[in-house]
Amino acid sequence: MDNNTVSKLTVPFGLSVAVCAVVNALLVIVKEKSTAVTAWMQKLTGHHWITHVAIVLVLFALLGWIFSRANGGQGPAMPLPRLTRVVLSGAVAGVLIVLGFYVIAD
Amino acid sequence: MKEAVLLCHVLFGVACLLTTTCLFVDVLNAHEGNLARIRWMSRAAALSLWLAFMAGGWFYVVDYKADRDVILKGPWPFAHNYFMETKEHFVITLLLLATYLPIAASNNLAANRDARRLVLCVAALVAVLALMAEGHGGIIAMGVKMGLLGKTN
């Protein structure tokens, strides 16, 4: 690997972190707003939180793998400064949505 | 058993926080000589967080219900209604970031400034979120204490 090239997993899993952080937050809202969804998640694994974690982790692995297959197996061509912004934005947005939602929900 | 699981949860959470902070400082001064240590620490931080997450998850699913009832009947119901509800969800983002840390740290951080910045940002976020999780945990524990004190008074 050249000094300035990055590993093939860096961009795909970085993008996956950003997407999954937001999906995690949206899942919180859906779960809290819909008793049917919560009941379904509860039924699936015995506890809604276990299902929630499983969905996000499976999606993380799946998206990382799918992104890594893109662009002829090279992964998405994205400069690292942009990837850094995307990862930061996704993670911070996800956390802020969760923190903000429970302020409003309460 | 319940107390041991809870102690492991806190212990590994703090271990992740300390390891990530050391990692952050090491990455600031990244050179060929400390790349192996940076990669080792990134894996240690991820492993610590996974162990903290599993211990916390176990406690939350198996044992937390009794504590929740105490909190909700006590003077600090927000310890559950806000702090536990947010903690149980934002730690999933923390877990994703900690898992990503070894991947980001696998690049040549000594030669690639952009790769270094990526690791610094991810490590900083992991440290801040781990610290937040510790603070939330402290408030939740205080909520239980307030509930128990309220019952005996």
Side-chain angles (χ1 to χ4, degrees):
Chain A
M1 188 167 68
D2 184 271
N3 279 343
N4 285 317
T5 57
V6 292
S7 77
K8 281 173 73 175
L9 298 179
T10 302
V11 176
F13 279 92
L15 292 175
S16 185
V17 167
V19 173
C20 290
V22 175
V23 169
N24 173 50
L26 297 178
L27 200 52
V28 170
I29 297 172
V30 172
K31 201 168 68 171
E32 292 290 342
K33 291 286 178 192
S34 166
T35 49
V37 172
T38 311
W40 171 76
M41 289 173 79
Q42 183 91 25
K43 199 176 162 189
L44 207 61
T45 59
H47 199 291
H48 67 87
W49 184 77
I50 296 175
T51 309
H52 188 126
V53 173
I55 288 171
V56 175
L57 290 182
V58 167
L59 189 67
F60 172 66
L62 198 65
L63 281 181
W65 180 75
I66 289 169
F67 285 141
S68 70
R69 307 291 294 173
N71 201 15
Q74 297 298 306
M78 179 181 277
L80 281 186
R82 187 185 295 169
L83 176 70
T84 304
R85 284 196 296 275
V86 170
V87 172
L88 273 180
S89 306
V92 171
V95 171
L96 288 179
I97 290 170
V98 171
L99 295 179
F101 173 74
Y102 281 103
V103 171
I104 298 164
D106 275 356
Chain B
M1 178 65 178
K2 173 185 164 182
E3 286 75 18
V5 171
L6 205 50
L7 283 173
C8 285
H9 171 58
V10 178
L11 180 73
F12 287 121
V14 171
C16 172
L17 176 56
L18 292 177
T19 311
T20 309
T21 308
C22 292
L23 171 82
F24 185 90
V25 175
D26 237 1
V27 174
L28 280 176
N29 304 290
H31 52 84
E32 292 293 341
N34 67 357
L35 283 185
R37 187 171 64 211
I38 287 171
R39 287 170 188 154
W40 181 87
M41 281 199 294
S42 69
R43 290 179 203 130
L47 179 65
S48 300
L49 205 278
W50 269 92
L51 291 172
F53 189 86
M54 286 194 286
W58 177 272
F59 175 80
Y60 177 65
V61 171
V62 176
D63 290 316
Y64 177 68
K65 196 172 177 293
D67 286 9
R68 182 195 65 192
D69 294 342
V70 170
I71 294 172
L72 291 178
K73 284 176 188 161
W76 280 25
F78 59 85
H80 171 79
N81 291 336
Y82 186 79
F83 288 96
M84 187 49 154
E85 291 287 5
T86 52
K87 186 188 177 195
E88 74 184 62
H89 293 114
F90 80 70
V91 290
I92 301 172
T93 300
L94 173 57
L95 185 69
L96 295 176
L97 288 165
T99 306
Y100 181 60
L101 204 49
I103 296 171
S106 67
N107 299 303
N108 188 343
L109 304 182
N112 191 333
R113 195 179 67 165
D114 293 334
R116 203 158 54 234
R117 279 187 179 165
L118 174 65
V119 176
L120 285 172
C121 288
V122 173
L125 259 181
V126 169
V128 168
L129 290 178
L131 198 58
M132 262 177 68
E134 294 290 342
H136 275 56
I139 292 170
I140 295 159
M142 192 63 84
V144 177
K145 184 181 174 183
M146 296 297 282
L148 292 171
L149 286 173
K151 272 185 179 176
T152 54
N153 284 341

